PDB file of all heavy atoms in Angstrom:
ATOM      1  N   GLY B 188       0.648  -6.029 -48.181  1.00  0.00           N
ATOM      2  CA  GLY B 188       0.289  -5.370 -46.924  1.00  0.00           C
ATOM      3  C   GLY B 188      -1.106  -4.770 -46.997  1.00  0.00           C
ATOM      4  O   GLY B 188      -1.902  -4.898 -46.059  1.00  0.00           O
ATOM      5  N   ALA B 189      -1.411  -4.128 -48.120  1.00  0.00           N
ATOM      6  CA  ALA B 189      -2.729  -3.509 -48.281  1.00  0.00           C
ATOM      7  C   ALA B 189      -3.824  -4.573 -48.279  1.00  0.00           C
ATOM      8  O   ALA B 189      -4.890  -4.382 -47.684  1.00  0.00           O
ATOM      9  CB  ALA B 189      -2.769  -2.705 -49.581  1.00  0.00           C
ATOM     10  N   GLU B 190      -3.573  -5.708 -48.911  1.00  0.00           N
ATOM     11  CA  GLU B 190      -4.593  -6.763 -48.978  1.00  0.00           C
ATOM     12  C   GLU B 190      -4.838  -7.407 -47.611  1.00  0.00           C
ATOM     13  O   GLU B 190      -5.980  -7.653 -47.226  1.00  0.00           O
ATOM     14  CB  GLU B 190      -4.164  -7.836 -49.976  1.00  0.00           C
ATOM     15  CG  GLU B 190      -4.223  -7.343 -51.401  1.00  0.00           C
ATOM     16  CD  GLU B 190      -4.468  -8.484 -52.373  1.00  0.00           C
ATOM     17  OE1 GLU B 190      -5.643  -8.833 -52.591  1.00  0.00           O
ATOM     18  OE2 GLU B 190      -3.473  -9.013 -52.902  1.00  0.00           O
ATOM     19  N   ILE B 191      -3.752  -7.687 -46.901  1.00  0.00           N
ATOM     20  CA  ILE B 191      -3.906  -8.312 -45.584  1.00  0.00           C
ATOM     21  C   ILE B 191      -4.603  -7.332 -44.631  1.00  0.00           C
ATOM     22  O   ILE B 191      -5.509  -7.701 -43.872  1.00  0.00           O
ATOM     23  CB  ILE B 191      -2.530  -8.718 -45.007  1.00  0.00           C
ATOM     24  CG1 ILE B 191      -1.794  -9.647 -45.970  1.00  0.00           C
ATOM     25  CG2 ILE B 191      -2.699  -9.380 -43.647  1.00  0.00           C
ATOM     26  CD1 ILE B 191      -2.484 -10.946 -46.243  1.00  0.00           C
ATOM     27  N   ALA B 192      -4.187  -6.071 -44.680  1.00  0.00           N
ATOM     28  CA  ALA B 192      -4.807  -5.065 -43.807  1.00  0.00           C
ATOM     29  C   ALA B 192      -6.302  -4.946 -44.109  1.00  0.00           C
ATOM     30  O   ALA B 192      -7.130  -4.854 -43.202  1.00  0.00           O
ATOM     31  CB  ALA B 192      -4.113  -3.711 -43.984  1.00  0.00           C
ATOM     32  N   ALA B 193      -6.649  -4.967 -45.391  1.00  0.00           N
ATOM     33  CA  ALA B 193      -8.063  -4.831 -45.785  1.00  0.00           C
ATOM     34  C   ALA B 193      -8.898  -5.997 -45.254  1.00  0.00           C
ATOM     35  O   ALA B 193     -10.056  -5.817 -44.876  1.00  0.00           O
ATOM     36  CB  ALA B 193      -8.176  -4.736 -47.305  1.00  0.00           C
ATOM     37  N   ALA B 194      -8.314  -7.182 -45.227  1.00  0.00           N
ATOM     38  CA  ALA B 194      -9.045  -8.342 -44.703  1.00  0.00           C
ATOM     39  C   ALA B 194      -9.113  -8.299 -43.172  1.00  0.00           C
ATOM     40  O   ALA B 194     -10.166  -8.515 -42.570  1.00  0.00           O
ATOM     41  CB  ALA B 194      -8.381  -9.625 -45.174  1.00  0.00           C
ATOM     42  N   LEU B 195      -7.981  -7.969 -42.541  1.00  0.00           N
ATOM     43  CA  LEU B 195      -7.909  -7.961 -41.072  1.00  0.00           C
ATOM     44  C   LEU B 195      -8.835  -6.927 -40.443  1.00  0.00           C
ATOM     45  O   LEU B 195      -9.438  -7.167 -39.392  1.00  0.00           O
ATOM     46  CB  LEU B 195      -6.476  -7.639 -40.628  1.00  0.00           C
ATOM     47  CG  LEU B 195      -5.441  -8.751 -40.693  1.00  0.00           C
ATOM     48  CD1 LEU B 195      -4.065  -8.162 -40.398  1.00  0.00           C
ATOM     49  CD2 LEU B 195      -5.767  -9.854 -39.686  1.00  0.00           C
ATOM     50  N   LYS B 196      -8.930  -5.769 -41.048  1.00  0.00           N
ATOM     51  CA  LYS B 196      -9.674  -4.662 -40.429  1.00  0.00           C
ATOM     52  C   LYS B 196     -11.117  -5.062 -40.119  1.00  0.00           C
ATOM     53  O   LYS B 196     -11.708  -4.532 -39.174  1.00  0.00           O
ATOM     54  CB  LYS B 196      -9.618  -3.402 -41.298  1.00  0.00           C
ATOM     55  CG  LYS B 196     -10.255  -3.559 -42.668  1.00  0.00           C
ATOM     56  CD  LYS B 196     -11.517  -2.770 -42.810  1.00  0.00           C
ATOM     57  CE  LYS B 196     -12.354  -3.190 -43.990  1.00  0.00           C
ATOM     58  NZ  LYS B 196     -11.778  -3.512 -45.265  1.00  0.00           N
ATOM     59  N   ASN B 197     -11.682  -5.998 -40.896  1.00  0.00           N
ATOM     60  CA  ASN B 197     -13.050  -6.446 -40.625  1.00  0.00           C
ATOM     61  C   ASN B 197     -13.158  -7.143 -39.263  1.00  0.00           C
ATOM     62  O   ASN B 197     -14.150  -6.987 -38.556  1.00  0.00           O
ATOM     63  CB  ASN B 197     -13.519  -7.415 -41.716  1.00  0.00           C
ATOM     64  CG  ASN B 197     -13.722  -6.704 -43.041  1.00  0.00           C
ATOM     65  OD1 ASN B 197     -14.118  -5.544 -43.079  1.00  0.00           O
ATOM     66  ND2 ASN B 197     -13.436  -7.399 -44.133  1.00  0.00           N
ATOM     67  N   ILE B 198     -12.143  -7.914 -38.929  1.00  0.00           N
ATOM     68  CA  ILE B 198     -12.134  -8.619 -37.637  1.00  0.00           C
ATOM     69  C   ILE B 198     -12.091  -7.589 -36.507  1.00  0.00           C
ATOM     70  O   ILE B 198     -12.823  -7.691 -35.509  1.00  0.00           O
ATOM     71  CB  ILE B 198     -10.897  -9.537 -37.523  1.00  0.00           C
ATOM     72  CG1 ILE B 198     -10.729 -10.398 -38.770  1.00  0.00           C
ATOM     73  CG2 ILE B 198     -10.961 -10.354 -36.243  1.00  0.00           C
ATOM     74  CD1 ILE B 198     -11.869 -11.313 -39.071  1.00  0.00           C
ATOM     75  N   TYR B 199     -11.222  -6.597 -36.658  1.00  0.00           N
ATOM     76  CA  TYR B 199     -11.081  -5.602 -35.594  1.00  0.00           C
ATOM     77  C   TYR B 199     -12.304  -4.679 -35.526  1.00  0.00           C
ATOM     78  O   TYR B 199     -12.647  -4.176 -34.462  1.00  0.00           O
ATOM     79  CB  TYR B 199      -9.778  -4.821 -35.776  1.00  0.00           C
ATOM     80  CG  TYR B 199      -8.581  -5.717 -35.554  1.00  0.00           C
ATOM     81  CD1 TYR B 199      -7.840  -6.220 -36.618  1.00  0.00           C
ATOM     82  CD2 TYR B 199      -8.224  -6.118 -34.274  1.00  0.00           C
ATOM     83  CE1 TYR B 199      -6.770  -7.081 -36.416  1.00  0.00           C
ATOM     84  CE2 TYR B 199      -7.151  -6.976 -34.053  1.00  0.00           C
ATOM     85  CZ  TYR B 199      -6.436  -7.449 -35.135  1.00  0.00           C
ATOM     86  OH  TYR B 199      -5.383  -8.311 -34.918  1.00  0.00           O
TER      87      TYR B 199
END
Side-chain angles (χ1 to χ4, degrees):
Chain B
E190 290 208 86
I191 304 298
L195 282 172
K196 62 111 196 319
N197 291 326
I198 311 300
Y199 293 103

